[in-house]
Amino acid sequence: MDIRFDGRVAIVTGAGAGLGRSHALGLAARGAKVVINDLGAATDGEGRSASAAGKVVDEIRAAGGEAMAHGADVANEGEVADMVAQAMKDWGRIDILVNNAGILRDKTFAKMTLDDFRKVVDVHLMGTATCSHAVWPIMREQKYGRIVLTSSASGLYGNFGQSNYGAAKAAMMGLMNVLHMEGARDDIRVNTLAPTAATRMTENLMPPEALELLQPETITPGLLYLVSENAPSRTILGAGAGCYAVTKVYETEGVMLEDGDNTPEGVAAQFEAISDASGQKELTDAFQQTRKYARKAADARGLSLPWGD
């Protein structure tokens, strides 16, 4: 069955170029009405211009689609509220939010100012939270919503010189996990895209041969699946060059240290066993970990608890 978005309204942040533009064009080509959000700033977040968003709107309209431009700063609550209000005024609903806007201010942690750290976290994390918070009540009332957060391998695995960006991108997993739980009752599905693409933000970081393979258009199909009617939820989808993978966090089975052995030396002595990956599991909520630890402690003492594994 074809994935279509006829009758759906989408907001794509940072949609004036690169991945955001590709996502917006992909949604529009399959029937969505799209708000093209772009501040028009440089890659470090400085400056402001409406031209990039306007060009993408023109592209969509020229192809027979519907789109509007909005230059909201995603971290500005008032500007985001205005963007959402305009979409509701013109189209009456918001079904999809793609949180894509971002900036880079790369330096080693020793040389980075806290202002540069704060600004990157503000745009990526607070921008994502601000936009998601603005559409949340609408999606709850509709009993339908699809939200994608954008992470990065820099956040999931680390990258030298990107402590600010990596911290913000790692935060997407925690935000996704909770929003997935809180949105499930109202069919609000929340996923995370972790792309590797040739964009303004990466053009100086990779050789031309790699950039040619990593075009944004090779990633957008994955994004379109994550915001589709039959999308999963609580999924981190890695994407690049037409390749896709799912990232999961696992916890080892672990070891229970008896009271006399529960010392720093005891942890050191058992660290190989604590780290043993055999039997590791994916945990799907925080209390699963609490229950596991309490169960191990209870079993060691011959006690019973009112819950299972």
Side-chain angles (χ1 to χ4, degrees):
M1 181 184 294
D2 288 346
I3 290 177
R4 298 284 306 174
F5 301 98
D6 302 292
R8 300 295 187 193
V9 175
I11 296 175
V12 182
T13 69
L19 275 170
R21 172 182 171 274
S22 178
H23 298 339
L25 292 176
L27 283 161
R30 289 173 178 259
K33 301 170 184 175
V34 188
V35 178
I36 307 301
N37 163 258
D38 203 283
L39 186 62
T43 55
D44 64 358
E46 296 297 328
R48 195 160 189 162
S49 169
S51 62
K55 288 178 182 177
V56 179
V57 169
D58 290 343
E59 282 187 78
I60 290 172
R61 289 177 177 170
E66 293 187 58
M68 70 169 72
H70 199 287
D73 177 345
V74 293
N76 184 301
E77 189 174 350
E79 293 182 16
V80 169
D82 183 73
M83 173 175 68
V84 169
Q86 287 196 32
M88 291 298 290
K89 177 177 176 290
D90 283 15
W91 294 328
R93 60 185 299 117
I94 297 170
D95 303 284
I96 295 165
L97 171 64
V98 180
N99 291 290
N100 171 76
I103 64 170
L104 288 178
R105 293 189 179 183
D106 293 354
K107 283 185 180 177
T108 62
F109 193 59
K111 295 180 179 179
M112 183 181 296
T113 67
L114 285 179
D115 281 345
D116 280 345
F117 194 100
R118 190 175 293 108
K119 180 63 176 178
V120 169
V121 170
D122 199 34
V123 172
H124 288 275
L125 176 55
M126 290 308 302
T128 295
T130 300
C131 291
S132 300
H133 193 262
V135 302
W136 196 258
I138 296 166
M139 292 180 172
R140 287 189 67 193
E141 186 173 348
Q142 293 170 172
K143 302 292 183 185
Y144 185 93
R146 301 290 182 265
I147 297 176
V148 165
L149 321 181
T150 301
S151 186
S152 166
S154 296
L156 299 173
Y157 310 117
N159 195 32
F160 189 90
Q162 289 194 315
S163 58
N164 49 5
Y165 183 78
K169 289 307 192 185
M172 295 302 134
M173 181 179 68
L175 181 59
M176 173 194 70
N177 287 341
V178 175
L179 294 188
H180 155 75
M181 293 176 182
E182 296 184 3
R185 182 188 63 182
D186 298 313
D187 195 20
I188 302 173
R189 304 184 193 182
V190 186
N191 294 292
T192 296
L193 183 69
T196 298
T199 68
R200 288 191 308 163
M201 293 172 66
T202 60
E203 62 186 1
N204 296 320
L205 303 177
M206 291 181 283
E209 298 83 357
L211 292 172
E212 184 62 31
L213 296 171
L214 294 166
Q215 293 302 304
E217 292 76 15
T218 66
I219 290 166
T220 291
L223 178 280
L224 296 180
Y225 171 63
L226 292 181
V227 297
S228 66
E229 187 169 345
N230 295 318
S233 192
R234 196 182 172 269
T235 295
I236 302 173
L237 183 67
C243 302
Y244 298 95
V246 168
T247 296
K248 294 179 181 288
V249 174
Y250 293 94
E251 180 168 299
T252 65
E253 177 58 30
V255 170
M256 166 64 195
L257 298 180
E258 298 286 357
D259 290 343
D261 294 324
N262 191 14
T263 64
E265 295 77 15
V267 174
Q270 292 293 321
F271 199 70
E272 184 175 350
I274 292 168
S275 305
D276 184 1
S278 60
Q280 67 184 12
K281 296 177 182 177
E282 182 188 16
L283 303 184
T284 57
D285 67 67
F287 202 57
Q288 273 189 289
Q289 184 193 66
T290 303
R291 289 195 300 267
K292 183 176 87 168
Y293 294 171
R295 174 181 52 77
K296 282 183 172 294
D299 289 348
R301 292 164 174 81
L303 303 174
S304 62
L305 293 173
W307 61 65
D309 291 343

